[in-house]
Amino acid sequence: MYDRRLDAIVAAADTGSFAKAGRLLHISTPALAKQVNTFEAEYGLTLFARSHGGVALTPAGEELVEGARDLIRRSDEIVRRARRRARPDTVPVRLGISMLRPGRRILDLWQHDAGRTAGIRLELVSLPDNRMSITDIIARLGDTIDVIATAFVPDHWTGVCNTLALSYEPLSLAVPLTHALARRARVTLDDLAGTRIRMLPRGNGTDDVARDLFERAGGIELADIDHYDLDVFNECAQTGDLLISKPMWADVHPQLANVAVDWPEPVGMQYGLLYPLDPSPAVAAFVDRIAELAGV
């Protein structure tokens, strides 16, 4: 349907690393680099600026990746429609995924099911990691996607969508590998004196609890971000700033280590599924089966 080397290019753009992109696509780093290099040579383009710290898109690369995402998305939709025709006895449940909402835990649980839930097939739908808010994504539930796997505060979505909590997700810190704290398994608030931490501005629920604790601890500089995307992770890797993170983001950036925090009080969210208030029978059955497989 399209040149599969585009998968390698988009993965490298999303992760900022050929090695990380290779792991994402389950191929070796040399194999992924070869796909990118041969594409560049064939079309006379330089898509990435290479450095020891990773790769970054050139202006030509940004233009190509933007079009490639749309091409891949349309191609995937064509294949999904064809599969629906080929398997009319099954109903798709569309799981929205992205770098920041990887859905890995849900996929692992579903694989354990090994097809024993008859009549349902799980389809993956790509979500953007940009300025699209979680509210905008929720608005697509039941339209272009059926469920998403993410961290959330349950009461926040009452009357907006249904939630299935599978586990507790304590806030952590993404720490540049060049920082001394990156070698620690856990840190205390005292350890953070003298650091600069990026986080969402006040008015963002659980982050506000962390902000209050940082401010009371003293000696910590706080810098606001207006949203999370790969650029924010890249900037922290380059500047040495720390970033409020979550366990589900442990593998988002190859130059950042996810470090747990010994919070003096609970500072976290729930991890699980968000799905429509009035789910289809297939979506309801899928959610029930995930809950059963997770033992909740």
Side-chain angles (χ1 to χ4, degrees), residues 35-94:
Q35 290 187 31
V36 176
N37 293 339
T38 58
F39 189 96
E40 288 180 319
E42 183 175 334
Y43 292 99
L45 296 169
T46 300
L47 303 176
F48 294 98
R50 279 86 161 167
S51 71
H52 292 301
V55 297
L57 286 171
T58 63
E62 291 176 355
E63 182 74 22
L64 184 133
V65 167
E66 181 180 355
R69 292 186 195 280
D70 182 60
L71 177 62
I72 293 170
R73 187 162 47 248
R74 286 187 288 125
S75 177
D76 288 344
E77 178 57 31
I78 291 170
V79 172
R80 279 194 293 271
R81 291 201 301 266
R83 284 174 174 165
R84 285 195 288 270
R85 287 292 186 91
R87 300 170 60 189
D89 56 326
T90 62
V91 178
V93 172
R94 300 160 298 176

Side-chain angles (χ1 to χ4, degrees), residues 96-194:
I97 62 168
S98 70
M99 183 180 66
L100 296 181
R101 298 178 179 86
R104 180 74 264 168
R105 301 181 207 175
I106 305 303
L107 293 174
D108 288 344
L109 286 170
W110 191 246
Q111 286 173 353
H112 287 315
D113 189 66
R116 285 188 287 273
T117 303
I120 295 176
R121 67 179 182 276
L122 184 61
E123 294 184 356
L124 305 183
V125 178
S126 177
L127 294 174
D129 281 321
N130 51 25
R131 292 179 179 271
M132 176 180 282
S133 69
I134 184 64
T135 302
D136 292 332
I137 294 174
I138 296 300
R140 298 170 61 181
L141 288 175
D143 180 13
T144 57
I145 55 174
D146 297 310
V147 292
I148 60 171
T150 189
F152 59 89
V153 177
D155 293 343
H156 180 77
W157 297 111
T158 300
V160 178
C161 67
N162 280 317
T163 63
L164 171 67
L166 299 175
S167 62
Y168 179 66
E169 186 91 347
L171 294 190
S172 55
L173 287 168
V175 182
L177 296 181
T178 54
H179 199 290
L181 293 180
R183 297 186 289 274
R184 301 277 296 275
R186 306 185 69 83
V187 295
T188 66
L189 296 186
D190 290 340
D191 295 327
L192 299 175

Side-chain angles (χ1 to χ4, degrees), residues 208-257:
D208 289 354
V209 181
R211 182 181 289 271
D212 290 340
L213 293 171
F214 288 149
E215 291 176 348
R216 288 202 293 268
I220 302 171
E221 181 184 355
L222 301 178
D224 288 350
I225 59 172
D226 59 5
H227 70 289
Y228 281 91
D229 63 12
L230 185 59
D231 287 342
V232 173
F233 288 86
N234 280 334
E235 289 169 8
C236 289
Q238 293 163 8
T239 63
D241 290 350
L242 280 57
L243 176 69
I244 285 288
S245 184
K246 303 178 181 73
M248 71 178 192
W249 292 344
D251 297 322
V252 163
H253 199 287
Q255 293 173 293
L256 299 174

